[in-house]
Amino acid sequence: MRTGLSRSAQGWLEAGLFVVTISALAVTYAIAEAAGAHALVFVVAAMGLAAAGMLAVTGLGDDVAGVLLAPASLVFGVTSIALEALFFAVLALMPPAEASLAFRLAVPASLIVGVVMLGRRLNATTLAGAAIIVGAASPAVLAAAPEDRLLASGLVVAGSLIVAVKTFASELHPGNRRARGVLDHLRVTGLVVLVTAVIGLAVLVPASLAAGGALGGLIPQPSDFVHPPTLTIALVVGAPIILAMTYLTFASVVKIGTESFLGTTALTPLGAYLAQALAAGFGLMAWPGFPLWLLALSIVGLGGVALVIKGLAQERGSLAPEQPLDIGQA
């Protein structure tokens, strides 16, 4: 069966759907926290349940040990947990909308990682777009209190680099690059998410037993792991969203590349706002704030992203017409 879409077009579609899922996840986080869930416990529980769901459908496959123990799996798992912890810390210093915009620095960060680690080339168009993104995203840290801005800036920069490394781990994962068809991609994704959940538990449980509630609540209390609303929301809502989100990441990045994928995620702040506004309309959460200056910077940032994507396409020649992709192939 053929989709009629080229390989890159399918990748762009999957990246766009990723933005939809991560916007829905932002609403789910807000609902879970309102129900008393600890954010990190919620994420790890949802990941574990999502992995179980994916693998129940696909099975483990013949190369299960190879996928589980692949360095890229471990890198993805460690960076995923580190990113959640960093974002949690950033939210203690600045509002969610501003933090989401600031993390668009992941796009220029991915360009740097691509050049330094993979020898990828950048042209003037890409560099101009990256400069615009930096100029649009950086002022978001001004939402933090003056005494917190240096710390917030450091956490945002570190988090943006972690986003880039995490996404490159998805793109370069040998199991993901070998995967053929939806079920095979889903199986590899499930195994990697399982690794991530295990790493999360291996970090959070001992930390909780040793110093639960420390660092401003960043470390969960032991009771957070058995909190019924946390587990219920993670099962019913969180797991399906994380399943879709991680699958779309793994499927998309091998088609359009990490830099282009992260460029698409620049739509996340606007998507998250629209999703939260919709949820607020149904009375599920408070109406989200989104200052006009933040909207203006988000739009400017999107212009920079468009230049980055155009420059990458020019550099790689990916604007050339491609043959339709059989959905049975990667």
Side-chain angles (χ1 to χ4, degrees), residues 98 101 139-143 290-298:
E98 284 83 346
L101 175 60
V141 299
L142 297 176
F290 203 86
L292 289 179
W293 67 268
L294 195 64
L295 175 61
L297 287 177
S298 297

Side-chain angles (χ1 to χ4, degrees), residues 116-268:
V116 173
M117 299 185 64
L118 304 176
R120 293 181 174 176
R121 297 186 302 174
L122 306 177
N123 57 26
T125 302
T126 303
L127 291 173
I132 291 173
I133 294 170
V134 171
S138 298
V141 299
L142 297 176
E147 64 273 17
D148 293 330
R149 286 172 187 167
L150 182 60
L151 175 59
S153 298
L155 291 174
V156 166
V157 170
S160 297
L161 285 169
I162 288 173
V163 171
V165 172
K166 170 189 171 183
T167 314
F168 271 117
S170 307
E171 178 187 347
L172 302 177
H173 195 293
N176 192 38
R177 298 189 73 84
R178 288 193 303 266
R180 293 294 180 266
V182 173
L183 287 180
D184 209 14
H185 275 295
L186 193 65
R187 180 184 64 83
V188 172
T189 304
L191 290 171
V192 176
V193 174
L194 177 61
V195 171
T196 305
V198 170
I199 291 173
L201 285 174
V203 171
L204 291 180
V205 171
S208 177
L209 294 175
L215 300 178
L218 176 62
I219 298 176
Q221 300 279 2
S223 59
D224 290 325
F225 291 91
V226 291
H227 184 238
T230 299
L231 300 179
T232 300
I233 299 172
L235 173 64
V236 176
V237 185
I241 292 176
I242 285 182
L243 186 159
M245 186 177 72
T246 50
Y247 168 78
L248 290 167
T249 300
F250 273 69
S252 177
V253 292
V254 295
K255 300 181 181 78
I256 64 175
T258 290
E259 302 94 329
S260 297
F261 173 82
L262 290 177
T264 305
T265 65
L267 292 167
T268 299

Side-chain angles (χ1 to χ4, degrees), residues 19-108:
V19 172
V20 175
T21 60
I22 200 169
S23 299
L25 186 61
V27 174
T28 305
Y29 280 162
I31 294 173
E33 289 181 6
H38 189 283
L40 296 181
V41 174
F42 174 78
V43 170
V44 170
M47 284 182 174
L49 292 166
M54 285 185 267
L55 296 175
V57 172
T58 65
L60 295 176
D62 297 328
D63 59 342
V64 56
V67 175
L68 289 174
L69 300 177
S73 296
L74 300 178
V75 170
F76 184 89
V78 170
T79 52
S80 295
I81 299 303
L83 178 61
E84 294 298 336
L86 268 175
F87 195 68
F88 187 102
V90 169
L91 290 180
L93 304 175
M94 54 195 297
E98 284 83 346
S100 183
L101 175 60
F103 268 80
R104 293 317 100 203
L105 291 174
V107 179

